[in-house]
Amino acid sequence: MMKIGLLDGGDGRSKHSPKVGFQVVRWAKPQVVWAKLNIDGSARSSPGPSGGAGICRNLGGDLIFAFSMGFGVGSSNRAELHSVWQCLSMRRSPGLSKVVVESDSSFVVDLVNRTAIPSWAWDHWRKRIDEITISGSFSFSHIPREVNGPTDGLARLASATQGNSAYFVWADLPRDIKGLVLLDKTRLGAVKEIP
């Protein structure tokens, strides 16, 4: 981890800011027989126009499917949960039974993993997700926001346009999302600030 101190050049005396560290974080490929779903939700205000996205990839980091979908007015938590449900529903068609689901929302991961007690407003979403995950092997994990770049980009697009798109070929993804998926596949990583 690299630490950086800042100097004040105005009076010649050193003034150090709090030290900030940086860490390289990478999207990790799933195990051999598993697929990986990265999920994200986005709301332009709270509540406001919301949308979500998911990207499913195999061991090689190749695209199995991706989607972006506008969800109307809502919160980012609702959009994130709706994205989990939507993506798990879509995975039925390719017949994926062993799936790692990653989200940068600790709220959603805790809710689905039952490490948080839901309010009545969120229990409905957890039950809908439980109905899908009962048939298969699923693992839900929290990841840093910096590792979820491609999905974040698709979710922001969906919340802005309220459009719906499905992608089954890498070449059909929006240009900037293609680049982010390729960076994940090559495992170059992103930089995360650590206080």
Side-chain angles (χ1 to χ4, degrees), residues 8-51:
D8 179 9
D11 61 4
R13 292 183 291 169
S14 301
K15 292 185 180 179
H16 292 280
S17 68
K19 303 236 181 216
V20 177
F22 297 94
Q23 176 184 24
V24 175
V25 291
R26 293 178 179 85
W27 180 81
K29 295 178 181 179
Q31 298 174 7
V32 176
V33 295
W34 292 69
K36 182 169 281 191
L37 291 173
N38 286 88
I39 305 295
D40 204 6
S42 173
R44 298 182 72 75
S45 55
S46 189
S50 67

Side-chain angles (χ1 to χ4, degrees), residues 36-96:
K36 182 169 281 191
L37 291 173
N38 286 88
I39 305 295
D40 204 6
S42 173
R44 298 182 72 75
S45 55
S46 189
S50 67
I55 298 177
C56 183
R57 289 172 274 189
N58 64 17
L59 172 66
D62 299 314
L63 182 72
I64 298 172
F65 69 84
F67 79 93
S68 62
M69 181 176 287
F71 297 142
V73 174
S75 68
S76 58
N77 283 336
R78 180 182 165 275
E80 191 95 18
L81 285 165
H82 197 152
S83 297
V84 170
W85 179 81
Q86 184 65 40
C87 211
L88 291 175
S89 297
M90 287 183 73
R91 70 95 194 149
R92 288 177 170 170
S93 53
L96 304 172

Side-chain angles (χ1 to χ4, degrees), residues 110-131:
D110 289 345
L111 187 71
V112 173
N113 283 333
R114 297 182 176 275
T115 55
I117 299 171
S119 69
W120 64 269
W122 304 117
D123 193 48
H124 163 74
W125 282 104
R126 188 166 77 180
K127 286 177 181 173
R128 291 180 80 183
I129 292 166
D130 284 349
E131 289 171 4

